[in-house]
């Protein structure tokens, strides 16, 4: 793939379910100052409806900062940047003239097309990744609930299965159940020895 195409694709971001480019990046590719680009857009604002161009919100700017697209909110000087969709970039080609403008417009259009093909061809992969992310979220929530229970010392199980060598754990578990009995205790077992009577004596209620 051409290096210039890769460079342009790296500046295409997904915002509000649309593929967009920042005004400053577009200005860089067209080799014009961002202020001149904004001036030209303002003079031809009828060419740029909301689905061609829109201004970012605070949360969207924070997302762009996390993507290293913007150094920080402090660098914006109090003005939220604008982004342009594929149609918006096409409209820019109509207000910026010159030989370079024509070649840049074609390159950006090709980058958008390539990005769209990539997303379409890998839609199933993205869907599976979303599913994995959702399952991971559920697992994290369950783990957090367990950790919270441990912190609150609310870890007494309602039933238990023990193996050879876990005599103390079984004893502690049964003793704990006996202590919680309020009125009566029913024991169903083929064999009861003095150890069971000792455990029953733990309940002094």
């Amino acid at each position: 793939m051409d290096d210039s195409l890769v460079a342009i694709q790296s500046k295409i971001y997904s915002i509000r379910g649309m593929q967009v480019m920042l005004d400053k990046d577009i200005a860089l590719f067209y080799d014009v100052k961002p202020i001149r680009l904004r001036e030209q857009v303002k003079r031809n604002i009828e060419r740029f409806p909301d689905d061609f161009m829109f201004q970012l919100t605070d949360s969207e700017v924070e997302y762009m900062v996390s993507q290293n697209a913007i150094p920080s909110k402090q660098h914006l000087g109090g003005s939220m940047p604008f982004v342009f969709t594929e149609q918006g970039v096409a409209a820019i080609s109509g207000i910026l003239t010159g030989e370079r403008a024509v070649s840049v417009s074609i390159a950006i259009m090709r980058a958008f097309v390539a990005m769209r093909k990539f997303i379409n061809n890998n839609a199933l992969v993205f869907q599976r990744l979303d599913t994995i992310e959702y399952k991971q979220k559920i697992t994290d929530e369950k783990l957090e609930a367990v950790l919270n229970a441990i912190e609150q010392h609310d870890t007494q199980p309602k039933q238990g299965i023990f193996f050879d060598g876990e005599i103390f754990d079984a004893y502690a578990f049964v003793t704990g159940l006996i202590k919680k009995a309020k009125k009566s205790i029913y024991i169903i077992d083929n064999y009861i020895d003095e150890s069971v009577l000792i455990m029953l004596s733990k309940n002094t209620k």
Side-chain angles (χ1 to χ4, degrees):
M1 185 179 292
D2 185 79
D3 290 342
S4 61
L5 190 61
V6 174
I8 295 172
Q9 282 184 292
S10 69
K11 299 299 181 181
I12 298 177
Y13 304 94
S14 181
I15 299 288
R16 304 183 192 179
M18 295 179 285
Q19 306 304 306
V20 299
M21 291 184 68
L22 281 164
D23 51 5
K24 72 176 184 65
D25 292 330
I26 295 174
L28 178 65
F29 287 122
Y30 275 98
D31 195 24
V32 298
K33 293 182 178 180
I35 188 172
R36 179 170 179 263
L37 174 64
R38 289 192 290 269
E39 287 174 351
Q40 289 295 99
V41 170
K42 188 178 294 185
R43 291 192 187 113
N44 299 272
I45 195 63
E46 70 280 355
R47 292 173 177 258
F48 299 93
D50 292 342
D51 55 334
F52 281 32
M53 176 193 75
F54 55 87
Q55 194 169 24
L56 297 181
T57 63
D58 285 337
S59 60
E60 289 167 344
V61 167
E62 290 176 0
Y63 168 76
M64 299 300 276
V65 171
S66 72
Q67 298 296 306
N68 296 319
I70 300 174
S72 69
K73 293 180 69 173
Q74 287 71 26
H75 285 75
L76 298 177
S79 177
M80 295 290 104
F82 285 86
V83 294
F84 295 81
T85 65
E86 181 178 351
Q87 293 80 7
V89 175
I92 289 176
S93 67
I95 62 175
L96 294 179
T97 59
E99 185 177 340
R100 177 178 176 81
V102 173
S103 61
V104 169
S105 296
I106 294 173
I108 292 179
M109 290 301 100
R110 286 174 174 168
F112 270 103
V113 171
M115 182 67 74
R116 188 164 58 250
K117 285 182 178 179
F118 173 79
I119 292 174
N120 290 337
N121 292 339
N122 294 276
L124 184 58
V125 175
F126 294 142
Q127 183 178 2
R128 288 177 178 175
L129 289 175
D130 287 341
T131 301
I132 292 173
E133 184 177 351
Y134 175 75
K135 289 182 178 179
Q136 183 62 48
K137 180 181 178 182
I138 297 299
T139 301
D140 291 343
E141 289 175 352
K142 290 181 179 179
L143 178 59
E144 184 178 357
V146 171
L147 294 176
N148 289 337
I150 292 175
E151 289 179 358
Q152 297 170 7
H153 304 291
D154 185 18
T155 57
Q156 178 65 42
K158 294 181 179 180
Q159 60 186 13
I161 299 176
F162 302 95
F163 302 92
D164 292 342
E166 297 179 344
I167 298 175
F168 175 78
D169 291 335
Y171 181 86
F173 174 74
V174 175
T175 301
L177 290 180
I178 291 174
K179 287 183 177 180
K180 287 184 177 182
K182 295 181 178 180
K183 293 183 178 180
S184 59
I185 298 174
Y186 295 89
I187 299 177
I188 302 175
D189 202 335
N190 293 329
Y191 175 76
I192 296 178
D193 60 10
E194 61 180 10
S195 65
V196 177
L197 298 177
I198 293 174
M199 284 191 289
L200 290 173
S201 68
K202 300 294 183 180
N203 191 326
T204 57
K205 295 179 181 180

